[in-house]
Amino acid sequence: MSQPEDNTPLKPSRSDYDGAWKAALEKYFNEFLALLFPAIHNEVDWSKGYEFLDGELEKITVDAKTGRRYTDKLVKVYYQDGTEEWLLIHVEIQSSPEPKGIFARRMLTYWSRLFDRYQVDVVSLAVLADTSQNYRPSAFHFSRSGTQQMDFIYPVAKLIDYEDEESWASLEANNNVFALLVMAQIKAKRLKGNNEGLYEFRLGLTRSLYKRGYSREQVVELFHFIGWMIQLPKSLEHRLIEAVKAVEKELKMPYINTVEQYGIEQGIEQGIEKGIEKGIEKGIEKGIEKQREKTARNMVMQTELNDQTIAAITELSIQEVAQLRLKLNK
């Protein structure tokens, strides 16, 4: 039971907050709890490790098709007093709040199904990534014709609560890597449609990576995660890469040039050599496809993720991942 070690998260070609959150929770689970739920983080005995139980979660959510974008993770941990706890983490990605009561009811449904099926203690946690100040579902209560359901209450982290000046400054000063991802998610929502604003913020956030004392691997990894949450048009992606190169030259830290690994720079260079725009597109696509396979290979070898999850993250087909796993196991 240990933290997965996927060192090269791949940014998809389209906005995918859900995929970004799933990958980030698996990579930075300890940091996630420390930042957003510090009291619970302090109760966990991290020396005993933890285990993601997505298979068990799928068994109780199979009929819960709502059409909305959610990230659900189920994690087994051990508390300092020796007890085993299952943490049910729910992240709502959509900007528009759900009708009254639906979110809280869903939280209760999942909790009760897990408790009934496995007879274990379940702690439910909710992260709300929407932008509505008034949407804060934190309890479920039912009362009608003499029948009452006692309040089901769960801890909630509302990301926009970090937008005030003091809280934002605390995120900027916090060395916890998940603080950067919270900032990226907030700005991705607030600046949606403002590509220049997103570009400037992402560049500033990337510059801050070098000032936090992170290793080269951490810088590259976080660069990908931030880019996963803050999508830019191709023209601004290329402009960002050139700007980051200038930052690296200034600070004498050639880290992000590893974007060549997923084909953007390689694609541009090949296209220029051919002298046609189609060459650029083909070069980029070829590089991205190669990196998808490399990322999937790392996940198969270094994590316990199933083929379906790896396929969703890398945008390969489940069959391609299965064939890759078969080849690696020979």
Side-chain angles (χ1 to χ4, degrees):
M1 294 183 293
S2 59
Q3 182 179 11
E5 295 183 358
D6 167 27
N7 294 320
T8 315
L10 178 69
K11 183 186 69 176
S13 58
R14 62 179 183 274
S15 296
D16 181 18
Y17 299 139
D18 183 67
W21 270 93
K22 286 179 179 176
L25 285 172
E26 293 203 1
K27 183 64 184 179
Y28 304 119
F29 174 64
N30 188 316
E31 293 84 354
F32 160 80
L33 275 187
L35 181 70
L36 299 181
F37 300 97
I40 295 175
H41 178 272
N42 292 336
E43 293 179 347
V44 173
D45 184 352
W46 295 100
S47 68
K48 293 185 177 180
Y50 53 88
E51 180 181 0
F52 288 95
L53 305 174
D54 291 354
E56 282 73 12
L57 187 59
E58 289 173 3
K59 293 174 185 176
I60 63 100
T61 60
V62 66
D63 61 338
K65 303 298 183 182
T66 63
R68 294 179 64 84
R69 297 175 63 184
Y70 296 111
T71 296
D72 293 310
K73 302 298 289 184
L74 183 63
V75 192
K76 180 167 69 176
V77 301
Y78 293 90
Y79 277 14
Q80 296 285 354
D81 61 8
T83 58
E84 176 184 312
E85 300 285 346
W86 287 16
L87 303 183
L88 176 59
I89 300 164
H90 174 84
V91 183
E92 183 177 12
I93 307 299
Q94 299 233 21
S95 298
S96 56
E98 284 191 302
K100 184 178 180 181
I102 291 181
F103 180 92
R105 181 183 302 165
R106 183 172 182 272
M107 294 288 289
L108 172 61
T109 298
Y110 283 13
W111 178 89
S112 61
R113 288 181 182 179
L114 285 168
F115 184 81
D116 180 63
R117 184 182 183 104
Y118 297 101
Q119 296 296 301
V120 296
D121 291 339
V122 180
V123 175
S124 294
L125 308 174
V127 178
L128 303 178
D130 63 279
T131 55
S132 172
Q133 283 288 354
N134 299 324
Y135 181 63
R136 297 173 181 272
S138 60
F140 180 81
H141 179 77
F142 173 81
S143 178
R144 189 177 181 87
S145 301
T147 297
Q148 288 196 60
Q149 162 70 49
M150 295 183 66
D151 286 341
F152 174 71
I153 303 171
Y154 47 88
V156 173
K158 183 83 172 183
L159 297 191
I160 61 172
D161 287 344
Y162 289 92
E163 285 188 298
D164 66 85
E165 186 175 348
E166 182 178 352
S167 298
W168 191 262
S170 72
L171 287 179
E172 292 178 321
N174 197 326
N175 203 45
N176 184 325
V177 296
F178 218 88
L180 294 167
L181 302 183
V182 168
M183 294 166 69
Q185 178 68 81
I186 292 172
K187 288 298 184 181
K189 288 294 185 68
R190 285 300 189 193
L191 297 176
K192 186 175 182 180
N194 180 358
N195 289 329
E196 281 295 329
L198 287 171
Y199 166 82
E200 292 296 337
F201 176 76
R202 185 171 156 193
L203 177 59
L205 203 58
T206 301
R207 177 184 281 271
S208 74
L209 296 178
Y210 299 96
K211 300 179 180 180
R212 290 173 170 246
Y214 295 144
S215 68
R216 178 185 182 279
E217 290 73 19
Q218 286 178 307
V219 170
V220 174
E221 187 173 72
L222 288 166
F223 176 79
H224 282 273
F225 269 115
I226 291 168
W228 197 336
M229 289 185 169
I230 302 178
Q231 298 285 304
L232 295 173
K234 285 184 180 179
S235 60
L236 289 183
E237 287 281 1
H238 302 328
R239 185 170 134 199
L240 177 73
I241 291 170
E242 294 305 314
V244 171
K245 282 185 176 180
V247 171
E248 291 182 335
K249 186 174 181 180
E250 171 192 339
L251 300 177
K252 299 180 180 180
M253 294 181 176
Y255 290 175
I256 304 298
N257 282 339
T258 54
V259 293
E260 295 176 1
Q261 293 177 357
Y262 66 89
I264 292 181
E265 285 297 302
Q266 180 181 358
I268 294 174
E269 290 170 3
Q270 290 177 358
I272 291 175
E273 289 174 2
K274 292 179 179 181
I276 55 174
E277 186 175 344
K278 188 175 181 181
I280 296 177
E281 294 175 354
K282 285 186 176 180
I284 292 174
E285 290 172 1
K286 183 177 180 181
I288 290 176
E289 184 64 28
K290 185 176 181 180
Q291 181 58 28
R292 285 174 180 162
E293 294 177 0
K294 180 179 178 181
T295 302
R297 186 182 302 110
N298 289 339
M299 289 181 173
V300 169
M301 296 174 62
Q302 301 175 16
T303 76
E304 297 180 359
L305 297 176
N306 59 35
D307 291 353
Q308 184 176 5
T309 302
I310 294 175
I313 292 174
T314 62
E315 292 192 326
L316 295 175
S317 69
I318 296 176
Q319 290 76 16
E320 287 174 319
V321 176
Q323 290 174 1
L324 178 61
R325 187 184 296 278
L326 183 63
K327 185 185 300 183
L328 292 172
N329 288 336
K330 285 184 178 179

